Amino acid sequence: MKNINTNEITVGVVGLGLMGSSFIVSLLIAGHEVKAIAPIAEDLTTGPDRINNHLLICSRSGLLSDPIESYASRLSISEDYSLLSECDLVMECVIELPEVKKSVYNKIERIVGRQTVITSNTSAIPISHLQTYLSHPERFLGIHWAEPAYLSKFMEIICGDRTDTLYADWVYELAHCWEKEPILLRKDLRGFVANRLMYAVYREGFVLVENGQATMDDIDKAFRYDPGSWMTLMGIFRRMDFMGLKDYSETFKAVFPLLSNTGEVPAVMQQIVEENARGTQSLKGLYEYTPEEAKKWDDAFAIFTEDIHQLAAQYPSKRESISNKI
Ligand SMILES: NC(=O)c1ccc[n+]([C@@H]2O[C@H](COP(=O)([O-])OP(=O)(O)OC[C@H]3O[C@@H](n4cnc5c(N)ncnc54)[C@H](O)[C@@H]3O)[C@@H](O)[C@H]2O)c1
């Protein structure tokens, strides 16, 4: 890694919702000074609570080498954007509405220096589109964190059509200081990589259910106990190498033509949106839940993310280090 000293790089974050609060913790652990902007008053109370909870989880998972207070002391929070004036990098993480993001970029650009890199955590708005909102689009790019951001290894860094790749290369290097295994997309790929892969799977799953060929429970079992048993160790291409490659091309020939390429939103999902069902949060979604069941899933997910983080750490991603565990 190039010489990067995180405690000399001040990072701004705009938006203290679910994701903003989560990646602030990753930045604090990496040693940055963090200046956070609360665009809505509610963030001033919910943000610090979330951040403290995440820090407690990190402490339990052994991610902190110093007392929690020393991380929290490097964080300042304000509603006033002038807090961002000394930032080298500012990350926007507000709701997924282009007009709201546009107004946030205007406020950021009015305050920061000409060389400050500005990024968005958008899930689905093309980076090249967001770039049209900036006076200096060449310093703008996407940083798509995965939740929980302080535990997950994955991160997508995405250039828009007008991004100067020097900035993207710098963020890519920096992401390694955040203990990430980032990927750098030099072309603005709609939906980025992880979501595109998952959406292909979601579509096929819904079609099998709608055609009565499998139940949701069948599909969840298949995904959980088959790919779920090897995915944290190896990706799909390495898995094919590992399995010997022999039958794949014959199977592709037979199966690819059978897979769905519909552009329609699945009817069951449409209905759920109309009913305003929000899954475990509202006790009704693709499955139904009692309050106890919903809480069990919440608790299990919190424990699982800590466990999987520790498990993955035993199998480092660099090929030469895989043998650490063996
Ligand atoms: N939740 C995820 O797992 C996830 C994953 C990757 C990317 N993202 C993306 O991150 C961004 C934030 O998502 P989130 O899950 O943290 O959302 P959230 O709903 O938890 O938080 C949204 C935040 O947006 C800000 N906000 C709300 N209304 C605003 C307004 N009118 N003006 C200015 N700011 C306002 C506030 O800071 C609020 O806390 C979105 O672009 C989302 O697509 C989310």
Side-chain angles (χ1 to χ4, degrees), residues 15-20 39-40 43 93-96 100-101 121-123 144-145 147:
L16 289 162
L18 184 78
M19 279 303 279
I40 54 172
D43 277 358
C93 190
V94 300
I95 43 172
E96 192 78 342
V100 172
K101 290 191 188 285
N121 189 48
T122 180
S123 301
H144 190 226
W145 295 75
E147 174 63 10

Side-chain angles (χ1 to χ4, degrees), residues 45 55 66 81 137 185 274 280:
T45 47
L55 282 168
D66 296 315
Y81 279 70
L185 302 177
E274 281 157 22
T280 52

Side-chain angles (χ1 to χ4, degrees), residues 229-240:
S229 68
W230 49 262
M231 266 184 171
T232 295
L233 178 63
M234 52 177 87
I236 55 172
F237 294 113
R238 201 172 300 287
R239 169 78 173 173
M240 285 188 272

